[in-house]
Amino acid sequence: MSAARLVQVVRESVSGLPRAFWWLWTSTLVNRLGAFVATFMALYLTLDRGYSASFAGLVVALHGLGGVVSSLVAGVMTDRLGRRPTLLAAQTSTAFSVALLGFMEHPAAIAAVALLVGMTSNASRPAVAAMMADIVRPEDRVRAFALNYWAINLGFAVSATAAGLIAEYSYLAGFLGEAALTLVCAVLVFVKLPESRPDRPTRPEGAAATTGEEPAIGLGTVLRDGRFMGVVGLSFLISLIFTQGSVGLPVAMGSAGFSPRDYGLVIAANGLLIVLLQIPVTAFIQRRDPQKLLVVSALLAGYGFALTAFAGPVWAYALTVCVWTLAEIVNSPTQMSLVVRLSPVHGRGRYQGVYNLSWAVAALVAPLMAGFLIDRYGADWLWGATAALGTVAAAGYWLLMRGLSEGDASTGGTTVAGGAPAPAAKPVPAEAQV
């Protein structure tokens, strides 16, 4: 791609999005610049504290368990209280709990506070995704989610390298740094982000429901949505694979004699590659068949991690990261856009909460799986398992989306391959446009 064409692609990718989106994007970027706990928890416990891979897996799993609980609760809060209050509560409580974790000494205290950090840090996800769906036009959502993912990884590329250096001198400084930047995010939310929750239309008491009126949405509604829950199940498999980048990979590299700085440099390739490729790749894929994109990304993820079994020097580990990073670049905006398309407007918080449950449960299961396989059989068995998971997920996407690609209508404010349009999101005020 020529430089002129790249500039044009970037300009098209960032134009026409509402101002509120860019404040949300900025909040995401600042938050990820301080990412430390999720990335270095396993190394902190095994190298700095001297615990086994199994104990590290248990603590990281408790972090994931906290996310399981908060995903559902935060999803309901997002619909009932609003996106902005949920974000504010989640980020302030995350800052407090992350700082507290840095001072814990006893193993039981570390485990308990890790659970609390998991609950608070995952609580913002349904609100962020729901707000983004509210304020961005349906036709712009793929690139909006891609840009948000780009911000996540821009921050991650910087923080992984810096945090790797910080970890060699003081893990506590890393915890406190993340707490401080999370507080900055809370301030941004409070000052700059307006509430975006769509108002549910009301009707006089005793009046009959009108045709097309959206029924009340509860968690039961979400759980009975077969196609959506299929997407959640496949997302769980994909999440099991990607989570190994922050769980299995650092433990395996540490066991192989590599330092936190080595791991920081290797995993920074993930964020750096996404920063470089997310925008042009999204421009390439946004008009293509999501079924094929999700199938290919599942295979790339599974077998990209499987290549780690053959890595030796640091550069070889970085090369495997590049393979599964390409899967992330394709999978994330495609799957997020699919989730929004399948979500009713006034149930976005609950739908996003259940969707994020797939990542939270994976964050609970993946470290237990990694710790067990590495301790009992060796890291090569873990990488073989990722190949199997990727294959199953690819087959699942192919089967699940056959009907969708043939013309099922969405309920999330857009259409799917010829389906009828669903209700649009609440319009963004003129003063919020750029």
Side-chain angles (χ1 to χ4, degrees), residues 106-133:
H106 193 278
I110 292 173
V113 178
L115 174 67
L116 179 61
V117 172
M119 292 178 63
T120 57
S121 61
N122 282 278
S124 62
R125 292 182 178 181
V128 169
M131 178 175 280
M132 200 169 300

PDB file of all heavy atoms in Angstrom, residues 106-133:
ATOM      1  N   HIS A 106       0.323 -11.737  52.187  1.00  0.00           N
ATOM      2  CA  HIS A 106      -0.100 -13.113  52.447  1.00  0.00           C
ATOM      3  C   HIS A 106      -0.750 -13.706  51.195  1.00  0.00           C
ATOM      4  O   HIS A 106      -1.505 -13.014  50.491  1.00  0.00           O
ATOM      5  CB  HIS A 106      -1.086 -13.142  53.616  1.00  0.00           C
ATOM      6  CG  HIS A 106      -1.332 -14.518  54.156  1.00  0.00           C
ATOM      7  ND1 HIS A 106      -2.218 -15.403  53.577  1.00  0.00           N
ATOM      8  CD2 HIS A 106      -0.789 -15.173  55.226  1.00  0.00           C
ATOM      9  CE1 HIS A 106      -2.227 -16.535  54.254  1.00  0.00           C
ATOM     10  NE2 HIS A 106      -1.366 -16.419  55.267  1.00  0.00           N
ATOM     11  N   PRO A 107      -0.487 -14.987  50.885  1.00  0.00           N
ATOM     12  CA  PRO A 107      -1.081 -15.599  49.688  1.00  0.00           C
ATOM     13  C   PRO A 107      -2.606 -15.497  49.641  1.00  0.00           C
ATOM     14  O   PRO A 107      -3.182 -15.230  48.582  1.00  0.00           O
ATOM     15  CB  PRO A 107      -0.629 -17.065  49.790  1.00  0.00           C
ATOM     16  CG  PRO A 107       0.629 -17.023  50.580  1.00  0.00           C
ATOM     17  CD  PRO A 107       0.456 -15.899  51.558  1.00  0.00           C
ATOM     18  N   ALA A 108      -3.268 -15.702  50.781  1.00  0.00           N
ATOM     19  CA  ALA A 108      -4.732 -15.617  50.796  1.00  0.00           C
ATOM     20  C   ALA A 108      -5.199 -14.191  50.497  1.00  0.00           C
ATOM     21  O   ALA A 108      -6.205 -13.983  49.811  1.00  0.00           O
ATOM     22  CB  ALA A 108      -5.264 -16.072  52.155  1.00  0.00           C
ATOM     23  N   ALA A 109      -4.459 -13.196  51.009  1.00  0.00           N
ATOM     24  CA  ALA A 109      -4.817 -11.802  50.757  1.00  0.00           C
ATOM     25  C   ALA A 109      -4.621 -11.457  49.279  1.00  0.00           C
ATOM     26  O   ALA A 109      -5.445 -10.759  48.672  1.00  0.00           O
ATOM     27  CB  ALA A 109      -3.981 -10.875  51.634  1.00  0.00           C
ATOM     28  N   ILE A 110      -3.530 -11.948  48.705  1.00  0.00           N
ATOM     29  CA  ILE A 110      -3.287 -11.716  47.278  1.00  0.00           C
ATOM     30  C   ILE A 110      -4.426 -12.302  46.455  1.00  0.00           C
ATOM     31  O   ILE A 110      -4.953 -11.660  45.531  1.00  0.00           O
ATOM     32  CB  ILE A 110      -1.941 -12.342  46.853  1.00  0.00           C
ATOM     33  CG1 ILE A 110      -0.780 -11.595  47.497  1.00  0.00           C
ATOM     34  CG2 ILE A 110      -1.801 -12.346  45.329  1.00  0.00           C
ATOM     35  CD1 ILE A 110       0.570 -12.239  47.263  1.00  0.00           C
ATOM     36  N   ALA A 111      -4.842 -13.519  46.780  1.00  0.00           N
ATOM     37  CA  ALA A 111      -5.916 -14.177  46.038  1.00  0.00           C
ATOM     38  C   ALA A 111      -7.232 -13.409  46.179  1.00  0.00           C
ATOM     39  O   ALA A 111      -7.961 -13.209  45.198  1.00  0.00           O
ATOM     40  CB  ALA A 111      -6.080 -15.612  46.529  1.00  0.00           C
ATOM     41  N   ALA A 112      -7.539 -12.957  47.410  1.00  0.00           N
ATOM     42  CA  ALA A 112      -8.805 -12.255  47.641  1.00  0.00           C
ATOM     43  C   ALA A 112      -8.849 -10.926  46.894  1.00  0.00           C
ATOM     44  O   ALA A 112      -9.871 -10.575  46.272  1.00  0.00           O
ATOM     45  CB  ALA A 112      -9.000 -12.027  49.145  1.00  0.00           C
ATOM     46  N   VAL A 113      -7.758 -10.174  46.934  1.00  0.00           N
ATOM     47  CA  VAL A 113      -7.750  -8.874  46.265  1.00  0.00           C
ATOM     48  C   VAL A 113      -7.702  -9.048  44.745  1.00  0.00           C
ATOM     49  O   VAL A 113      -8.279  -8.248  44.005  1.00  0.00           O
ATOM     50  CB  VAL A 113      -6.579  -8.007  46.767  1.00  0.00           C
ATOM     51  CG1 VAL A 113      -6.550  -6.670  46.038  1.00  0.00           C
ATOM     52  CG2 VAL A 113      -6.700  -7.773  48.265  1.00  0.00           C
ATOM     53  N   ALA A 114      -7.063 -10.117  44.274  1.00  0.00           N
ATOM     54  CA  ALA A 114      -7.080 -10.398  42.834  1.00  0.00           C
ATOM     55  C   ALA A 114      -8.505 -10.635  42.358  1.00  0.00           C
ATOM     56  O   ALA A 114      -8.892 -10.212  41.257  1.00  0.00           O
ATOM     57  CB  ALA A 114      -6.211 -11.610  42.520  1.00  0.00           C
ATOM     58  N   LEU A 115      -9.305 -11.309  43.183  1.00  0.00           N
ATOM     59  CA  LEU A 115     -10.721 -11.492  42.866  1.00  0.00           C
ATOM     60  C   LEU A 115     -11.428 -10.146  42.769  1.00  0.00           C
ATOM     61  O   LEU A 115     -12.214  -9.899  41.838  1.00  0.00           O
ATOM     62  CB  LEU A 115     -11.373 -12.363  43.943  1.00  0.00           C
ATOM     63  CG  LEU A 115     -12.897 -12.547  43.865  1.00  0.00           C
ATOM     64  CD1 LEU A 115     -13.273 -13.348  42.626  1.00  0.00           C
ATOM     65  CD2 LEU A 115     -13.402 -13.252  45.123  1.00  0.00           C
ATOM     66  N   LEU A 116     -11.141  -9.252  43.723  1.00  0.00           N
ATOM     67  CA  LEU A 116     -11.748  -7.919  43.722  1.00  0.00           C
ATOM     68  C   LEU A 116     -11.323  -7.120  42.488  1.00  0.00           C
ATOM     69  O   LEU A 116     -12.155  -6.449  41.852  1.00  0.00           O
ATOM     70  CB  LEU A 116     -11.345  -7.172  44.992  1.00  0.00           C
ATOM     71  CG  LEU A 116     -11.866  -5.740  45.148  1.00  0.00           C
ATOM     72  CD1 LEU A 116     -13.389  -5.719  45.181  1.00  0.00           C
ATOM     73  CD2 LEU A 116     -11.282  -5.089  46.400  1.00  0.00           C
ATOM     74  N   VAL A 117     -10.043  -7.194  42.126  1.00  0.00           N
ATOM     75  CA  VAL A 117      -9.564  -6.489  40.935  1.00  0.00           C
ATOM     76  C   VAL A 117     -10.279  -7.005  39.689  1.00  0.00           C
ATOM     77  O   VAL A 117     -10.672  -6.235  38.804  1.00  0.00           O
ATOM     78  CB  VAL A 117      -8.038  -6.647  40.782  1.00  0.00           C
ATOM     79  CG1 VAL A 117      -7.565  -6.088  39.439  1.00  0.00           C
ATOM     80  CG2 VAL A 117      -7.315  -5.937  41.915  1.00  0.00           C
ATOM     81  N   GLY A 118     -10.470  -8.326  39.615  1.00  0.00           N
ATOM     82  CA  GLY A 118     -11.184  -8.886  38.480  1.00  0.00           C
ATOM     83  C   GLY A 118     -12.608  -8.372  38.383  1.00  0.00           C
ATOM     84  O   GLY A 118     -13.099  -8.068  37.287  1.00  0.00           O
ATOM     85  N   MET A 119     -13.260  -8.243  39.518  1.00  0.00           N
ATOM     86  CA  MET A 119     -14.639  -7.738  39.529  1.00  0.00           C
ATOM     87  C   MET A 119     -14.707  -6.293  39.062  1.00  0.00           C
ATOM     88  O   MET A 119     -15.541  -5.932  38.231  1.00  0.00           O
ATOM     89  CB  MET A 119     -15.229  -7.858  40.940  1.00  0.00           C
ATOM     90  CG  MET A 119     -15.449  -9.279  41.411  1.00  0.00           C
ATOM     91  SD  MET A 119     -16.091  -9.355  43.108  1.00  0.00           S
ATOM     92  CE  MET A 119     -17.671  -8.538  42.910  1.00  0.00           C
ATOM     93  N   THR A 120     -13.831  -5.465  39.572  1.00  0.00           N
ATOM     94  CA  THR A 120     -13.911  -4.039  39.265  1.00  0.00           C
ATOM     95  C   THR A 120     -13.407  -3.717  37.858  1.00  0.00           C
ATOM     96  O   THR A 120     -14.009  -2.931  37.135  1.00  0.00           O
ATOM     97  CB  THR A 120     -13.106  -3.232  40.292  1.00  0.00           C
ATOM     98  OG1 THR A 120     -11.748  -3.693  40.318  1.00  0.00           O
ATOM     99  CG2 THR A 120     -13.699  -3.380  41.681  1.00  0.00           C
ATOM    100  N   SER A 121     -12.317  -4.365  37.440  1.00  0.00           N
ATOM    101  CA  SER A 121     -11.730  -4.010  36.148  1.00  0.00           C
ATOM    102  C   SER A 121     -12.564  -4.479  34.974  1.00  0.00           C
ATOM    103  O   SER A 121     -12.525  -3.881  33.894  1.00  0.00           O
ATOM    104  CB  SER A 121     -10.309  -4.584  36.045  1.00  0.00           C
ATOM    105  OG  SER A 121     -10.320  -5.995  36.133  1.00  0.00           O
ATOM    106  N   ASN A 122     -13.343  -5.537  35.157  1.00  0.00           N
ATOM    107  CA  ASN A 122     -14.189  -6.026  34.070  1.00  0.00           C
ATOM    108  C   ASN A 122     -15.548  -5.339  34.021  1.00  0.00           C
ATOM    109  O   ASN A 122     -16.285  -5.503  33.042  1.00  0.00           O
ATOM    110  CB  ASN A 122     -14.394  -7.542  34.194  1.00  0.00           C
ATOM    111  CG  ASN A 122     -13.197  -8.333  33.715  1.00  0.00           C
ATOM    112  OD1 ASN A 122     -13.027  -8.568  32.530  1.00  0.00           O
ATOM    113  ND2 ASN A 122     -12.345  -8.739  34.654  1.00  0.00           N
ATOM    114  N   ALA A 123     -15.882  -4.596  35.058  1.00  0.00           N
ATOM    115  CA  ALA A 123     -17.208  -3.996  35.136  1.00  0.00           C
ATOM    116  C   ALA A 123     -17.427  -2.899  34.098  1.00  0.00           C
ATOM    117  O   ALA A 123     -18.565  -2.575  33.763  1.00  0.00           O
ATOM    118  CB  ALA A 123     -17.442  -3.434  36.540  1.00  0.00           C
ATOM    119  N   SER A 124     -16.355  -2.330  33.575  1.00  0.00           N
ATOM    120  CA  SER A 124     -16.520  -1.234  32.615  1.00  0.00           C
ATOM    121  C   SER A 124     -16.780  -1.713  31.197  1.00  0.00           C
ATOM    122  O   SER A 124     -17.250  -0.952  30.362  1.00  0.00           O
ATOM    123  CB  SER A 124     -15.261  -0.348  32.617  1.00  0.00           C
ATOM    124  OG  SER A 124     -14.133  -1.096  32.217  1.00  0.00           O
ATOM    125  N   ARG A 125     -16.507  -2.979  30.907  1.00  0.00           N
ATOM    126  CA  ARG A 125     -16.570  -3.446  29.519  1.00  0.00           C
ATOM    127  C   ARG A 125     -17.967  -3.372  28.901  1.00  0.00           C
ATOM    128  O   ARG A 125     -18.117  -2.891  27.778  1.00  0.00           O
ATOM    129  CB  ARG A 125     -16.003  -4.867  29.429  1.00  0.00           C
ATOM    130  CG  ARG A 125     -14.511  -4.924  29.684  1.00  0.00           C
ATOM    131  CD  ARG A 125     -13.968  -6.331  29.539  1.00  0.00           C
ATOM    132  NE  ARG A 125     -12.517  -6.363  29.747  1.00  0.00           N
ATOM    133  CZ  ARG A 125     -11.782  -7.449  29.669  1.00  0.00           C
ATOM    134  NH1 ARG A 125     -12.356  -8.613  29.379  1.00  0.00           N
ATOM    135  NH2 ARG A 125     -10.478  -7.399  29.880  1.00  0.00           N
ATOM    136  N   PRO A 126     -19.020  -3.876  29.582  1.00  0.00           N
ATOM    137  CA  PRO A 126     -20.349  -3.755  28.973  1.00  0.00           C
ATOM    138  C   PRO A 126     -20.750  -2.301  28.721  1.00  0.00           C
ATOM    139  O   PRO A 126     -21.372  -1.988  27.698  1.00  0.00           O
ATOM    140  CB  PRO A 126     -21.272  -4.415  29.999  1.00  0.00           C
ATOM    141  CG  PRO A 126     -20.393  -5.323  30.782  1.00  0.00           C
ATOM    142  CD  PRO A 126     -19.063  -4.622  30.851  1.00  0.00           C
ATOM    143  N   ALA A 127     -20.393  -1.407  29.636  1.00  0.00           N
ATOM    144  CA  ALA A 127     -20.755  -0.003  29.483  1.00  0.00           C
ATOM    145  C   ALA A 127     -20.033   0.633  28.299  1.00  0.00           C
ATOM    146  O   ALA A 127     -20.623   1.407  27.536  1.00  0.00           O
ATOM    147  CB  ALA A 127     -20.450   0.769  30.773  1.00  0.00           C
ATOM    148  N   VAL A 128     -18.743   0.339  28.140  1.00  0.00           N
ATOM    149  CA  VAL A 128     -17.982   0.899  27.018  1.00  0.00           C
ATOM    150  C   VAL A 128     -18.564   0.445  25.693  1.00  0.00           C
ATOM    151  O   VAL A 128     -18.801   1.245  24.777  1.00  0.00           O
ATOM    152  CB  VAL A 128     -16.497   0.498  27.119  1.00  0.00           C
ATOM    153  CG1 VAL A 128     -15.756   0.842  25.829  1.00  0.00           C
ATOM    154  CG2 VAL A 128     -15.831   1.189  28.299  1.00  0.00           C
ATOM    155  N   ALA A 129     -18.819  -0.867  25.568  1.00  0.00           N
ATOM    156  CA  ALA A 129     -19.335  -1.390  24.309  1.00  0.00           C
ATOM    157  C   ALA A 129     -20.737  -0.877  24.026  1.00  0.00           C
ATOM    158  O   ALA A 129     -21.069  -0.531  22.881  1.00  0.00           O
ATOM    159  CB  ALA A 129     -19.324  -2.923  24.339  1.00  0.00           C
ATOM    160  N   ALA A 130     -21.582  -0.808  25.061  1.00  0.00           N
ATOM    161  CA  ALA A 130     -22.946  -0.313  24.859  1.00  0.00           C
ATOM    162  C   ALA A 130     -22.940   1.166  24.471  1.00  0.00           C
ATOM    163  O   ALA A 130     -23.690   1.589  23.576  1.00  0.00           O
ATOM    164  CB  ALA A 130     -23.770  -0.523  26.130  1.00  0.00           C
ATOM    165  N   MET A 131     -22.103   1.964  25.132  1.00  0.00           N
ATOM    166  CA  MET A 131     -22.021   3.385  24.794  1.00  0.00           C
ATOM    167  C   MET A 131     -21.540   3.572  23.357  1.00  0.00           C
ATOM    168  O   MET A 131     -22.053   4.431  22.624  1.00  0.00           O
ATOM    169  CB  MET A 131     -21.102   4.114  25.776  1.00  0.00           C
ATOM    170  CG  MET A 131     -20.938   5.589  25.468  1.00  0.00           C
ATOM    171  SD  MET A 131     -19.953   6.493  26.710  1.00  0.00           S
ATOM    172  CE  MET A 131     -21.180   6.747  27.990  1.00  0.00           C
ATOM    173  N   MET A 132     -20.568   2.769  22.953  1.00  0.00           N
ATOM    174  CA  MET A 132     -20.061   2.891  21.591  1.00  0.00           C
ATOM    175  C   MET A 132     -21.145   2.556  20.578  1.00  0.00           C
ATOM    176  O   MET A 132     -21.287   3.216  19.541  1.00  0.00           O
ATOM    177  CB  MET A 132     -18.849   1.972  21.411  1.00  0.00           C
ATOM    178  CG  MET A 132     -17.968   2.353  20.244  1.00  0.00           C
ATOM    179  SD  MET A 132     -16.420   1.443  20.274  1.00  0.00           S
ATOM    180  CE  MET A 132     -15.760   1.981  21.843  1.00  0.00           C
ATOM    181  N   ALA A 133     -21.935   1.521  20.872  1.00  0.00           N
ATOM    182  CA  ALA A 133     -23.035   1.170  19.974  1.00  0.00           C
ATOM    183  C   ALA A 133     -24.099   2.264  19.946  1.00  0.00           C
ATOM    184  O   ALA A 133     -24.720   2.518  18.909  1.00  0.00           O
ATOM    185  CB  ALA A 133     -23.658  -0.156  20.405  1.00  0.00           C
TER     186      ALA A 133
END
